[in-house]
Amino acid sequence: MTVNEHPHPDSPESEDVESFRLRARAWLADNMPLLSADAPQVSSSELDQRVVDRARVLQRRLFDGGFAGLVFPKEYGGQGLTPAHQHAFNEETVGYEMPTFFNIPTLSIIAPTLLEFGTEDQKRRYIEGILRGDELWVQFLSEPTGGSDLAGAVTRAERDGETWVLNGAKTWSTFAIFCDYAMCLARTDWDATKHGGLTMFLMKIDQPGVDVDWIKQSNGVRDFCQEFFTDVCLDSDAVIGDVNGGWAVASGLLNHERASGGGSWYAHDGGGARVDVAEDNLVDLARKLDPADAHHLDLLGEAHTLRMVHRQVSARVSAGIQTGHYPDAAGALLRMSIGLLGARRATIGMELAGSSSVGWRPDDPTSQYGNDYLFRQAHCLGGGSTEMQRNIISERLLGMPRERSEDRDRPFRDVPRTDR
Ligand SMILES: Cc1cc2nc3c(=O)[nH]c(=O)nc-3n(C[C@H](O)[C@H](O)[C@H](O)COP(=O)(O)OP(=O)(O)OC[C@H]3O[C@@H](n4cnc5c(N)ncnc54)[C@H](O)[C@@H]3O)c2cc1C
């Protein structure tokens, strides 16, 4: 199934959206905790095991109540409903604490990729594990040699009888230390072309030969991990898609990743609420400073305009992809919009907060804007950099000539590389 395909067209036997909404409203009131200021948040710089454990409990609660994986097929543990049901559910969940740690990448990127490329056994085994809240996933794609040139991966998997032996390193994997499984892209044929010799594997993270370390960022926060693989054994049924067909799987995965920027119908919410909260925080900050300051008002106006534009882009592109009016590559517009919005908002926050944002005083909330500023460039990198999105937009949406590439058509073994 591609992003363009509607997962479950409305069928007469499925519950209509309004009765579903009422049922969901009653169930949420009886079962889910209200969002409180001290509920552990995914975006908090204090993210720790508590957030993860809490997310697993809440995801399990949704599963047991019949509200997990609304658009996933019933045979894989889902509810077999439509994106309209998911949308209604998301609206009803406002104000409740939801297991958003499962959203990215587990529910919105990994699970749909398994649905699209996994074998029947993989789908039955792993999608239900995700929906039940038992298993969190991460993507092992980027390597120390670079993340933009994903097809240039040099982590290798070699066949040894019925198993594969994996060696190499991955980096920038978000919260990998808390995850159970990964999708890992590895080179399996060095005589094939760059894109033709890759295979996607699913792998358990807690196993011999896998070392996972935190990366500490310049703002003192730990969001990312790096992994080192030494003779990791993977069974033959760990291959997702075809052997040496990993580029198709990676491309599908990236389509889901870019599309998730507009709010994935596979996940609990679209992230729109987070943008609203960030803007409300900026307004509160400006009020505390000098509410009449003309420059502050200009900055707030700009932040508001950016959000409104992003909302429109997001609604239009998401609808375009879902209905098939836009190709999957249009997700690059969403990714770019999110990147530019996030980076500019971080700069606006810093400019409003002024010198107090560099104070690093934990009891002063304005110091958060200094942290956000140090993280600002990440908005333009995660899920593929904004420059790469511009390449996709120009080549795949506007039909401009492909970027020149010297390494595309020759055996990867002969491509000059920096890792040797
Ligand atoms: C918040 C966040 C979460 C992430 N989570 C994960 C994760 O879970 N798993 C994972 O595998 N990775 C993850 N990443 C890594 C992310 O995918 C990479 O940062 C991204 O693909 C860019 O790769 P790089 O950082 O190695 O930069 P490079 O690829 O080295 O690029 C450096 C700069 O050069 C530019 N550039 C490179 N090639 C071109 C080109 N052909 N044309 C124009 N400009 C170019 C890039 O745009 C960038 O600005 C995450 C990153 C962030 C910030």
Side-chain angles (χ1 to χ4, degrees):
M1 185 177 69
T2 71
V3 169
N4 272 340
E5 283 173 67
H6 197 289
H8 287 277
D10 266 313
S11 61
E13 63 272 21
S14 64
E15 183 179 10
D16 75 80
V17 174
E18 279 319 302
S19 358
F20 168 79
R21 181 191 288 279
L22 295 178
R23 185 164 66 83
R25 187 177 295 168
W27 184 86
L28 285 163
D30 288 345
N31 293 281
M32 293 304 271
L34 289 173
L35 199 54
S36 73
D38 30 286
Q41 297 295 305
V42 173
S43 56
S44 155
S45 57
E46 291 159 16
L47 182 105
D48 57 25
Q49 193 64 47
R50 282 178 320 141
V51 179
V52 183
D53 294 345
R54 178 85 173 156
R56 288 183 196 269
V57 168
L58 294 180
Q59 180 66 32
R60 178 63 190 241
R61 203 175 291 176
L62 289 174
F63 183 82
D64 290 342
F67 288 96
L70 296 182
V71 302
F72 286 88
K74 286 187 172 167
E75 59 268 36
Y76 309 133
Q79 301 301 319
L81 294 170
T82 70
H85 291 84
Q86 181 70 58
H87 187 73
F89 189 67
N90 288 351
E91 286 181 344
E92 293 302 321
T93 61
V94 172
Y96 289 100
E97 189 187 341
M98 295 295 287
T100 50
F101 193 76
F102 272 81
N103 276 358
I104 298 178
T106 305
L107 279 170
S108 56
I109 302 172
I110 297 286
T113 305
L114 280 171
L115 209 50
E116 192 174 346
F117 295 97
T119 62
E120 194 55 27
D121 280 353
Q122 287 169 343
K123 287 191 260 199
R124 286 189 188 278
R125 158 68 186 82
Y126 294 105
I127 293 178
E128 179 157 339
I130 288 172
L131 299 181
R132 237 188 357 250
D134 290 344
E135 286 155 10
L136 280 158
W137 285 62
V138 62
Q139 309 170 76
F140 286 168
L141 302 176
S142 304
E143 301 197 351
T145 45
S148 299
D149 186 18
L150 185 56
V154 292
T155 289
R156 59 171 66 219
E158 283 154 339
R159 220 192 265 272
D160 181 11
E162 285 302 296
T163 58
W164 292 88
V165 181
L166 184 77
N167 281 284
K170 296 285 176 178
T171 191
W172 304 126
S173 21
T174 310
F175 299 130
I177 243 163
F178 296 127
C179 295
D180 308 284
Y181 285 89
M183 268 194 197
C184 179
L185 190 65
R187 188 155 301 279
T188 40
D189 186 347
W190 295 73
D191 294 318
T193 57
K194 180 173 169 180
H195 296 78
L198 296 164
T199 302
M200 189 70 90
F201 293 91
L202 62 82
M203 59 182 289
K204 200 170 182 344
I205 297 177
D206 182 14
Q207 65 167 305
V210 181
D211 287 317
V212 186
D213 290 336
W214 281 115
I215 298 173
K216 192 169 181 187
Q217 294 143 226
S218 59
N219 59 358
V221 174
R222 299 182 308 179
D223 290 305
F224 305 106
C225 296
Q226 55 188 340
E227 299 77 30
F228 301 96
F229 311 128
T230 314
D231 294 334
V232 179
C233 285
L234 303 173
D235 290 336
S236 53
D237 60 5
V239 172
I240 303 172
D242 294 328
V243 172
N244 295 327
W247 186 246
V249 184
S251 301
L253 179 148
L254 291 175
N255 280 335
H256 289 298
E257 175 148 27
R258 288 190 282 264
S260 71
S264 166
W265 60 57
Y266 296 101
H268 299 300
D269 69 20
R274 287 199 299 277
V275 176
D276 290 351
V277 169
E279 187 184 327
D280 291 348
N281 289 346
L282 288 181
V283 173
D284 284 348
L285 174 64
R287 278 206 187 103
K288 276 187 212 130
L289 300 165
D290 179 357
D293 183 302
H295 183 52
H296 288 176
L297 291 176
D298 278 352
L299 290 172
L300 286 180
E302 186 188 344
H304 186 66
T305 309
L306 284 171
R307 186 183 70 160
M308 299 310 285
V309 170
H310 174 70
R311 267 202 183 153
Q312 297 303 321
V313 170
S314 181
R316 187 177 174 92
V317 174
S318 298
I321 294 175
Q322 283 178 28
T323 54
H325 285 86
Y326 287 168
D328 291 346
L333 293 163
L334 294 173
R335 223 350 261 129
M336 196 171 81
S337 174
I338 285 204
L340 299 179
L341 170 71
R344 182 62 192 143
R345 198 177 49 227
T347 308
I348 289 174
M350 173 97 167
E351 218 173 307
L352 279 173
S355 56
S356 60
S357 65
V358 292
W360 301 97
R361 279 181 44 189
D363 56 333
D364 177 2
T366 42
S367 65
Q368 155 214 332
Y369 292 98
N371 269 340
D372 289 354
Y373 184 78
L374 287 173
F375 196 69
R376 71 186 281 284
Q377 206 54 35
H379 297 286
C380 295
L381 286 169
S385 73
T386 42
E387 288 81 12
M388 295 310 283
Q389 307 315 310
R390 288 178 205 275
N391 286 350
I392 294 170
I393 292 165
S394 60
E395 292 172 14
R396 293 197 231 156
L397 298 182
L398 302 178
M400 292 166 76
R402 275 197 87 102
E403 190 179 14
R404 192 180 157 85
S405 162
E406 297 297 339
D407 57 5
R408 206 176 171 78
D409 299 320
R410 55 167 114 169
F412 191 72
R413 189 181 292 291
D414 300 338
V415 171
R417 304 197 311 273
T418 52
D419 65 305
R420 58 181 179 191

